[in-house]
Each structure stands twice: as C-alpha cells, then as structure tokens.
Amino acid sequence: MEVFNTPNKVIVTCNRRLSPYLEQEVRDLGFTPVRVFNTGLELKASVNECVRLNLHLRVASQVLYEIKSFRASNPEELYRNLVEIPWEELIPFDSYFSVTSTVHNETITTPLFANVKVKDAVVDRIKDKKGMRPNSGPDFHRCVIHLHWMEDRAEIFLDTSGETLAKHGYRKHPGKAPMLEALATSTIMATQWDGKSPFVNPMCGSGTLAIEAALIAQKRMPGLQRMNYSFMHFIGYDEEVFFEERRKLKDVTDKNNLPKIIASDISEEAIEIAKMNARTAGVEHVIEFEVCDFAKTTVPEGAGVIMFNPEYGERLGVHSKLEETYKRVGDFLKQECKGYRGYVFTGNPDLAKKIGLRASRRFEFFNGKLDCRLLQYELYDGSKEK
C-alpha cells in the first residue's frame, strides 16, 4: 500500500469546540476541509502531507489517514475485513504497534475488545505473510492504528501522530491545574491578537498562555519541539520529507521585532516553573516574568491584549475569596488597562458576574469536561463614543 504519496480521506481531530480554530490553521496551510464538525474536520491528503499537518498544527489532537471503510455488524465481521488489509506492506514485522478506537456497536461492551480484534487481525496477517509477528501494546511511540466503529459502519486509520499533538512538548513542569496547550492557543486565536502588540498574562501559573503567545509571535511551530511521530514507523517513510519540512519550520521562525509579552504571578514557585517551561519551549528570552500580585502587573502603554485565567472555584457555592478576586480583576481591567482588549477565561458564570464589566463577546470552550467561556471586554480609553 503506497500511502505516503496517495491522497485519501484524512480526519484531523481536536478537543470539543476547537474546530473553528483548527479549520483556520488548516486553511492557512493551503488545505481545503471537506467538512468541519465539533471535534475535528475532514480533508484529503497523503501521509507525506500528514507529515506537514503534524508539524504545523497547534490546535489538533491526531491526524488520521483512512486505509479502509467497510460494514461490520459484529466482531467476527470486523476481523474478516481487517485481516484482508495488506498490513505487511504497512507495519514492519519486527516493529511495535498500538490500537486506539472509538466504538458504538451493540455487540461490543468495551472498546478494549474491539482493540483486541484489530490487533489479532494485524498480527495474524503479518505472521501469515512474513512468518513473524510484530509486538503490540499500549504505548504510542511507534505505529498506531485507530478504529472508528459506529453501529455497522467501520473505518480503520493510520494514526500518523501517535502521542497527541494537543500537548506541545515543552511543559515538563505542569504546575497547578494547567491549561492544555491546544486550548491555550485557541483562546489566543479567538482574541485575534496580531502577534505584534503587547500580550499581558497576569496570574500566569505554569506560563502556558504566555508561552503559546510567544510561540505564535515567533511563528515557531510545535514540530520543532518533537522528534517522534507515528508516521515515522510505517513502511514507506522517507525521513528526508520530515527533515525538509522541519528545515522550513526553522526558516519561517522570526526572532526579530517581537512584541512585549508579560507574565506575572504572586507565586515565586509558579514563576520558576513558567520560566523552566519557557526555556524548554525556546521562548524564555521573549517573555518578561514578574513575581507580584496581579494588580501590580506591568501593562505597557498603547493597545494590546490582556488575558486572565483565574481559578474557577466550585460550580456550586462560590467562595467569597474568589468573589473578591474577580471583583479586583474587573477593577484592574477598568482602571489600568485602558486601550486594551481584556479577556477572562472562566468555568464559573457566577464568579464572572463579579467582574462588574459588560462582556462584548463570549467564546465557548471546554476545559476538560467543564463548560467554559472566554469573556471579552473592550477597555475604552475615555468614553465609548470616542
């Protein structure tokens, strides 16, 4: 199977509500989505083009290349269809592979059973053709296969990513309740920040928002942070395609004329963690870190973006301490950030009311399973009419 140069159906997945930002990224790369849905999009591409997608995308989770779709009412039909695929042309007999799945079929009580049927089909086919069998297990560091099985419709994909793309590889020290990198990027994209004006992030925690802003400003892509993907382990991989794509990433990186990016936190430990993460990401020199109460954060003159990601507290029963914090955030935005666009990311609508400002826009996100909003505030310098 010549998958590296053959365009076919590709599904690029993302976390819920991130697909508008994923679509923007994909279109910027020159691809045209066939359809967009809540957790991803579909396009047509070869596996070599999937290499490019993997290295560039900040918002995606997995890049899945379809190799077969078929009808299967039960596990036996699933196996019969899968064992017909020439796996010996895709997976080296001395390699290692893992299986993931999304399954909704009445004959299956657990997706793990479906995974076993996929594994058995792959192993039996390769053993029959090559006399040897590859190893399999739960790690995603080599070949990864993904099964999508809904009722009687099944699709089998090469997961060209392996480990999720939603983590960008620099956060060795996560800190307290960190925001997923793909989510952080999406919230910054939602602000339509130009990458040139100041970006201020009080209460920065482990620094994810400020680091993602610095990476965007530098045009530094996630692929520069990673040297292992699933696509590297399938038969037909040409490492020169990968290294050429990586060279292009280095060429477009812009280290000049960078904006002021300021990250502050009252916790000295949080700032140390943020600095270590920024150093790993290669952007420590781009960010000015401050240990201070958020209300003492430096806000450069002029226009820019200021973004808070404060604690949300419990959904039920709002803590009075957090109520006071949100009120102070509102006062700080109103008094010290004139000319900026202010943003507060929160999963607690009751606390959001304590900010005391009228949001001009509300962007819907999920942080894990928690329904969240990114609230936008126009912080006019003078009256709104002006």
Side-chain angles (χ1 to χ4, degrees), residues 274-335:
K275 282 181 177 178
M276 285 188 281
N277 290 334
R279 193 176 307 130
T280 305
V283 295
E284 186 187 19
H285 62 291
V286 184
I287 304 169
E288 296 177 25
F289 291 99
E290 300 177 349
V291 179
C292 63
D293 180 82
F294 72 81
K296 301 291 185 185
T297 305
T298 302
V299 181
E301 286 188 11
V305 163
I306 181 163
M307 188 184 291
F308 284 84
N309 177 27
E311 287 184 44
Y312 313 153
E314 297 297 325
R315 188 56 109 148
L316 301 171
V318 176
H319 303 301
S320 57
K321 186 179 176 185
L322 279 177
E323 286 185 4
E324 178 59 27
T325 299
Y326 275 67
K327 181 183 179 302
R328 289 182 62 224
V329 166
D331 292 342
F332 175 69
L333 289 172
K334 189 164 46 182
Q335 293 161 15

Side-chain angles (χ1 to χ4, degrees), residues 72 76 80 82 106 130 189 202 221 260 332 334:
E76 289 68 35
R80 282 200 300 272
L82 291 174
E106 60 183 14
K130 296 292 184 181
M189 290 174 73
M221 300 302 176
K260 267 196 177 298
F332 175 69
K334 189 164 46 182

Side-chain angles (χ1 to χ4, degrees), residues 89-265:
E89 297 174 16
L90 292 167
I91 298 173
F93 63 81
D94 57 351
S95 185
Y96 174 102
F97 74 96
S98 54
V99 180
T100 63
S101 63
T102 307
V103 177
H104 292 286
N105 178 281
E106 60 183 14
T107 67
I108 298 284
T109 54
T110 168
L112 294 177
F113 182 65
N115 292 4
V116 169
K117 298 306 284 186
V118 176
K119 186 199 77 166
D120 289 348
V122 174
V123 167
D124 291 350
R125 170 80 190 206
I126 295 177
K127 191 175 180 183
D128 178 57
K129 297 295 179 181
K130 296 292 184 181
M132 294 181 69
R133 50 163 291 168
N135 290 320
S136 62
D139 297 327
F140 299 151
H141 63 285
R142 301 290 286 276
C143 301
V144 182
I145 299 164
H146 180 73
L147 169 70
H148 186 81
W149 189 12
M150 296 289 130
E151 306 304 337
D152 69 339
R153 295 296 305 173
E155 292 176 281
I156 196 80
F157 296 89
L158 304 183
D159 179 347
T160 66
S161 307
E163 294 289 350
T164 181
L165 303 174
K167 296 179 180 179
H168 294 167
Y170 59 78
R171 208 161 63 188
K172 309 301 182 188
H173 309 275
K176 183 182 174 185
M179 183 186 273
L180 183 70
E181 294 94 309
L183 173 60
T185 292
S186 299
T187 61
I188 295 168
M189 290 174 73
T191 72
Q192 297 187 322
W193 177 56
D194 59 8
K196 298 172 184 175
S197 56
F199 184 92
V200 184
N201 177 214
M203 296 182 173
C204 71
S206 58
T208 308
L209 279 166
I211 292 168
E212 290 298 322
L215 291 168
I216 290 169
Q218 276 197 330
K219 300 182 181 66
R220 186 178 173 90
M221 300 302 176
L224 289 175
Q225 204 63 37
R226 182 166 163 177
M227 288 299 290
N228 185 48
Y229 296 85
S230 177
F231 61 71
M232 296 175 163
H233 304 284
F234 290 107
I235 292 172
Y237 165 65
D238 180 358
E239 67 175 16
E240 187 51 42
V241 173
F242 170 73
F243 284 110
E244 176 60 27
E245 201 59 56
R246 214 165 177 274
R247 279 193 288 271
K248 290 177 186 174
L249 295 190
K250 288 182 178 178
D251 290 344
V252 300
T253 303
D254 183 5
K255 296 184 179 179
N256 302 313
N257 306 313
L258 296 174
K260 267 196 177 298
I261 298 176
I262 295 169
S264 73
D265 201 285

Side-chain angles (χ1 to χ4, degrees), residues 40 52 59 71 100 138 233 278 367:
R52 187 159 180 252
V59 175
R71 291 195 178 277
T100 63
H233 304 284
N367 192 357

Side-chain angles (χ1 to χ4, degrees), residues 345-357:
F345 185 89
T346 183
N348 194 317
D350 293 326
L351 283 173
K353 293 172 186 173
K354 303 299 177 183
I355 295 169
L357 296 169

Side-chain angles (χ1 to χ4, degrees), residues 35-88:
R35 64 187 177 100
V36 180
F37 46 97
N38 195 27
T39 55
L41 52 81
E42 177 188 335
L43 50 83
K44 196 160 188 179
S46 66
V47 174
N48 276 337
E49 289 173 309
C50 290
V51 172
R52 187 159 180 252
L53 290 164
N54 274 287
L55 267 64
H56 279 81
L57 296 176
R58 303 178 196 272
V59 175
S61 296
Q62 316 293 144
V63 180
L64 308 172
Y65 177 92
E66 186 192 75
I67 51 175
K68 187 176 183 180
S69 64
F70 52 90
R71 291 195 178 277
S73 302
N74 54 55
E76 289 68 35
E77 280 188 55
L78 181 75
Y79 175 88
R80 282 200 300 272
N81 276 280
L82 291 174
V83 83
E84 290 175 1
I85 296 170
W87 294 107
E88 71 278 5

